[in-house]
Amino acid sequence: MQEKKLSLLRFCYNHMMQDMIGPQGVSREEIVIMESRVAKAAKSLEDKRGEMAWRDLPYSQDDVVEDIIKTASDINNNFDHFVLLGIGGSALGPLAVHRAMKPTYYNELSKEDRKGPKMFVEDNIDPDRIKSLLDVLDIKRTVFCVISKSGATAETMAQTMIISQMLKETYYGDIGKHFIMITDQEKGNLNIIAKKENCKTFHIPRGVGGRFSQLSSVGLLPAAVCGIDIKMLLKGAAAMDKQCASEDVWKNPAGMGALLQVQYMKKGRNISVMMPYIDGFRYIADWYAQLWAESLGKRIDNDGYVVFSGQTPVKSLGVTDQHSQLQLYVEGPHDKVITFIRTDKFRNDFTIPNAYPEIDDISFLGGHTLSELINVEQESTEFALYKAGRPSQTIYLPEISEYTLGQLLYFFELETAFVGELLNINAFDQPGVEESKNAAYAVLGKAGFEEKRKELSEKEKLNKLLQF
Amino acid sequence: MQEKKLSLLRFCYNHMMQDMIGPQGVSREEIVIMESRVAKAAKSLEDKRGEMAWRDLPYSQDDVVEDIIKTASDINNNFDHFVLLGIGGSALGPLAVHRAMKPTYYNELSKEDRKGPKMFVEDNIDPDRIKSLLDVLDIKRTVFCVISKSGATAETMAQTMIISQMLKETYYGDIGKHFIMITDQEKGNLNIIAKKENCKTFHIPRGVGGRFSQLSSVGLLPAAVCGIDIKMLLKGAAAMDKQCASEDVWKNPAGMGALLQVQYMKKGRNISVMMPYIDGFRYIADWYAQLWAESLGKRIDNDGYVVFSGQTPVKSLGVTDQHSQLQLYVEGPHDKVITFIRTDKFRNDFTIPNAYPEIDDISFLGGHTLSELINVEQESTEFALYKAGRPSQTIYLPEISEYTLGQLLYFFELETAFVGELLNINAFDQPGVEESKNAAYAVLGKAGFEEKRKELSEKEKLNKLLQF
């Protein structure tokens, strides 16, 4: 029990507060005034739990998890390459967890050292990238995992059609064992294709949108294939769910996190910088960026008012981006909130040898460890922001493990849902992407989009061709 | 000549204008009023050319280029792995050019197919990442290229000290051929180390700051090692320099680009989204992010006024981020300018086969190519932004080549310098990063930072330990 308690992540918000950073900060009074709103949001989220199947993913998947683990083991025994075909929520979560838990250069390890197939997450349709992928794959030793809830995602379906044809040309037929489909429970084209090709299929429960799907089979199968402990991932998520059960904002990290961000949005901070000081967590920032952007970027609120809400997520990486973005964070506009993620314990460490003791300018580094150095750099960045009166908050992972990662993912999901409640918007739809989809359908000649095609050519007439 | 003319990139700004997108746009009148300011900025930049050695990198390096090409060939003959140790400007440019020009999965190709050593750009000090690197390297077949202008960058020097020790333990001595140093012309620790270890050294000319160093040996050596045509890269930059020589904003793409961004900043658009629809260009967006952020994020202008200037760069990637960020771009706050980069001609292509003609929902994709699909998606995103009254601009590359890439890099460098002039700030310093550096020195015990150490512990007393 002691062990488990120790591995709960800590969320520290000192440097968000006026007491600490001065007039730009959020005051304790603001929080007190908002306490009842957070309580109401907490209650509302609890009441709507039935509609939000993603909330229950940590508890509801015992059978699925066993199936996933068995399937992952079969894949591992029969294939050398695992290629995920998906985009957006279907790719960002799997990629983030893979990079967080496995070695940076995983794919370049030998098969024995990897203890899993090579992993490729293909979330784009650039033909040069697909060519490069095919140049390094042995297609006969590859399983393709197609993820699309609707089965209508143009990019993923285009990839699938190309691969399907390629496999058929290679095998003259039976290609089912090279495909795994993850899609909606009933409807959609992937179910039709899966039936036709006789593929193993996993289903995404209703009430689990793309960006909230990482703890469903979407994220769990690719993780399990590489030996990531998905049961602990789910346990971590459950622990965070429990930790965020209170209606009291002072006892609810997701509620407090959401409240602080909302107050900062109201003060004009329209940018949320996610800056892990853990190299493998750079894709956690990518995953967060989708969650935050798609959930909160909304034109209309729940009462029909035009609000143009949202805070733009910026992916940053410590230490690297200290040498790229810190100048702006410290001296630029007062328009940002910075979130650091760090760990008390890296999985490896190196002591810096005093290799050139005659050079004073660098010899002070000798004897320190790299883990010390990276964490000192995070504290120094926090200090520079503090001196400039700019807010930051820090999430501490006692260690990098499936358990802490599960907590972290669930924390961000729940915080996002809380912000949606506090802003009175629907955090679970994405009406703004339809226009672009429909325009693409029109140009590509999909039936039923003739009117849109006309609209596009009308627009082209306005084009003044201003260019160099 | 005709061929060369065809391969000039096109910068199209229709969708930035009020005529096209409505009231949120920049009007032609605004541009006319600002014409004289751009002319003044152009003249000023030309007058200061002597102080800005980066402007002349396309012309001034004939001897260096020959040396680089010879060195690159030696590396190629003697080593299998090329590891770049550097951070910020010393890493972002080399990485961006490598990923733009070479196959996505370059490192996983066989040596014959790669035609160059495996490439690793190590711009972080996370010990888990360093461990993973060392696990996949054969250190005896590796050359380490250390890049730091000052030779005092703590992260790079820590890496260097670790590697140096490791090589000495392996070889009991002569390690010079495993190191290449790129640093300042005279001063700095890397010159001392280079002399001691007897390493090949390249120098960064005075007047070339880190973020403007990609066209110096910093970027050219790592590029040449992988067979990238660095002469054409420089020729492309020279072509863009020529194209931007005019004081007439209507004839100067960098001047026009800068003017439009400045007008949008003044209208409250504090976010610049860089969104290439070329997968390999994702790191071009990273490189741009440093250039834009560090150059323009400034507290004080040239007249001493407190301005807190700057526009936050956001790295985005088409098509991928349509499924992550587009909802926010279309429906969120009116706080962004979007820049697309696309190409008329990918290096490879695939036709999508009509693999499932019985499924209407996807069969319309059959017969189209991937290059068609990705470009249609870009146009559809532009259309959705247009419908929502939001500005975008597009840079068209007639092809992906060293020549067009050189143009693009130089365009952004010059545009940044223009914005600096128009905002009346110093685009070439970074005073805001000192505080963080000094704090790190203080904690790590560097001599001379005792006062800062006291200040840090004073601050800690304020800390209310607000955390979960």
Side-chain angles (χ1 to χ4, degrees), chain B residues 83 85 144-148 156-157 160 179-182 190:
Chain B
V83 177
L85 305 179
F144 295 89
C145 176
V146 184
I147 309 182
S148 167
T156 306
M157 297 317 290
T160 304
F179 269 128
I180 292 175
M181 306 292 178
I182 304 184
L190 282 182

Side-chain angles (χ1 to χ4, degrees), chain A residues 10-15 19 104-105 108 118 120 122-129 131-132 155 161 164-165 189 193 196-197 250 252 270-271 278-279 282 289-290 293-294 297-299 308-310 312 318-320 322-325 327 331-333 335-336 346-348 350 353 356 358-359 361 364 368 373 377 380 382-383 386-387 390 430-432 435-436 440-441 444 446 455-456 459 462-468, chain B residues 10-15 19 104-105 108 118 120 122-129 131-132 155 161 164-165 189 193 196-197 250 252 270-271 278-279 282 289-290 293-294 297-299 308-310 312 318-320 322-325 327 331-333 335-336 346-348 350 353 356 358-359 361 364 368 373 377 380 382-383 386-387 390 430-432 435-436 440-441 444 446 455-456 459 462-468:
Chain A
R10 308 186 311 279
F11 168 62
C12 173
Y13 59 100
N14 275 295
H15 289 79
D19 287 353
T104 314
Y105 298 107
E108 291 177 49
K118 285 195 181 192
F120 301 88
E122 296 305 312
D123 59 356
N124 209 348
I125 48 166
D126 180 311
D128 292 331
R129 175 165 172 177
K131 173 69 165 61
S132 177
E155 299 84 356
M161 288 155 87
S164 171
Q165 174 98 342
N189 311 313
I193 297 175
K196 181 171 173 183
E197 310 289 10
W250 302 98
N252 187 330
N270 62 338
I271 298 171
I278 303 170
D279 195 88
R282 61 173 80 207
Q290 183 202 18
E294 271 200 329
K298 296 290 149 72
R299 194 167 75 92
F308 296 129
S309 73
T312 299
V319 170
T320 308
Q322 276 184 223
H323 294 261
S324 158
Q325 304 299 307
Q327 167 67 31
E331 293 209 342
D335 56 7
K336 293 176 185 65
F346 287 88
R347 288 157 287 192
N348 300 279
F350 293 85
Y356 301 100
E358 68 278 19
I359 309 180
D361 212 22
F364 73 96
H368 293 290
L373 183 56
E377 299 257 21
S380 302
E382 178 188 83
F383 178 72
Y386 153 81
K387 289 270 286 182
R390 286 142 199 263
Q430 50 283 331
E435 189 67 66
S436 160
Y441 290 154
L444 296 169
K446 188 170 180 177
E455 195 186 337
L456 280 157
K459 182 208 126 190
L462 295 175
N463 198 327
K464 295 238 165 56
L465 294 173
L466 289 169
Q467 71 174 39
F468 292 91
Chain B
R10 308 187 310 279
F11 168 60
C12 172
Y13 59 100
N14 275 295
H15 289 80
D19 287 354
T104 313
Y105 298 107
E108 292 178 50
K118 285 195 182 193
F120 301 89
E122 294 305 312
D123 59 356
N124 209 349
I125 50 166
D126 181 310
D128 292 331
R129 175 165 172 178
K131 174 67 165 63
S132 177
E155 299 84 356
M161 288 155 87
S164 171
Q165 174 98 342
N189 312 313
I193 297 176
K196 181 172 174 183
E197 310 290 10
W250 301 99
N252 186 331
N270 62 337
I271 297 170
I278 304 170
D279 194 87
R282 61 172 80 206
Q290 184 202 17
E294 272 200 328
K298 295 291 150 73
R299 194 168 73 93
F308 298 129
S309 72
T312 299
V319 168
T320 306
Q322 275 183 224
H323 295 261
S324 159
Q325 303 300 306
Q327 168 67 30
E331 292 208 344
D335 57 8
K336 292 176 186 66
F346 287 88
R347 287 157 288 192
N348 298 280
F350 292 86
Y356 301 100
E358 68 279 19
I359 309 179
D361 213 21
F364 72 97
H368 294 289
L373 183 55
E377 299 257 20
S380 303
E382 178 188 84
F383 179 73
Y386 153 81
K387 289 269 287 183
R390 285 141 200 264
Q430 51 281 331
E435 190 66 68
S436 160
Y441 291 153
L444 296 169
K446 188 170 181 178
E455 194 187 338
L456 280 156
K459 183 208 126 190
L462 296 175
N463 197 326
K464 295 239 165 56
L465 293 172
L466 289 169
Q467 70 174 39
F468 293 91

Side-chain angles (χ1 to χ4, degrees), chain B residues 53-114:
Chain B
W54 62 269
R55 288 292 301 275
D56 289 323
L57 292 173
Y59 313 105
S60 62
Q61 298 187 96
D62 285 355
D63 293 349
V64 184
V65 163
E66 293 310 323
D67 191 5
I68 286 172
I69 289 171
K70 195 195 158 301
T71 307
S73 160
D74 290 347
I75 291 170
N76 229 327
N77 292 333
N78 295 307
F79 297 99
D80 295 332
H81 299 150
F82 182 91
V83 177
L84 189 160
L85 305 179
I87 195 164
S90 306
L92 291 165
L95 184 61
V97 168
H98 180 81
R99 297 295 178 92
M101 295 310 305
K102 307 305 291 184
T104 313
Y105 298 107
Y106 171 86
N107 270 8
E108 292 178 50
L109 289 169
S110 67
K111 196 175 177 184
E112 300 76 57
D113 288 335
R114 276 198 317 266

Side-chain angles (χ1 to χ4, degrees), chain A residues 426-447:
Chain A
N426 183 348
F428 305 101
D429 64 357
Q430 50 283 331
V433 302
E434 291 307 311
E435 189 67 66
S436 160
K437 272 191 205 170
N438 294 342
Y441 290 154
V443 179
L444 296 169
K446 188 170 180 177

Side-chain angles (χ1 to χ4, degrees), chain B residues 288-339:
Chain B
Y288 165 83
Q290 184 202 17
L291 185 67
W292 204 248
E294 272 200 328
S295 302
L296 306 180
K298 295 291 150 73
R299 194 168 73 93
I300 308 266
D301 75 5
N302 292 331
D303 296 324
Y305 288 97
V306 175
V307 289
F308 298 129
S309 72
Q311 197 187 32
T312 299
V314 167
K315 321 156 196 172
S316 192
L317 179 68
V319 168
T320 306
D321 282 320
Q322 275 183 224
H323 295 261
S324 159
Q325 303 300 306
L326 185 59
Q327 168 67 30
L328 175 71
Y329 299 170
V330 168
E331 292 208 344
H334 280 270
D335 57 8
K336 292 176 186 66
V337 179
I338 320 269
T339 303

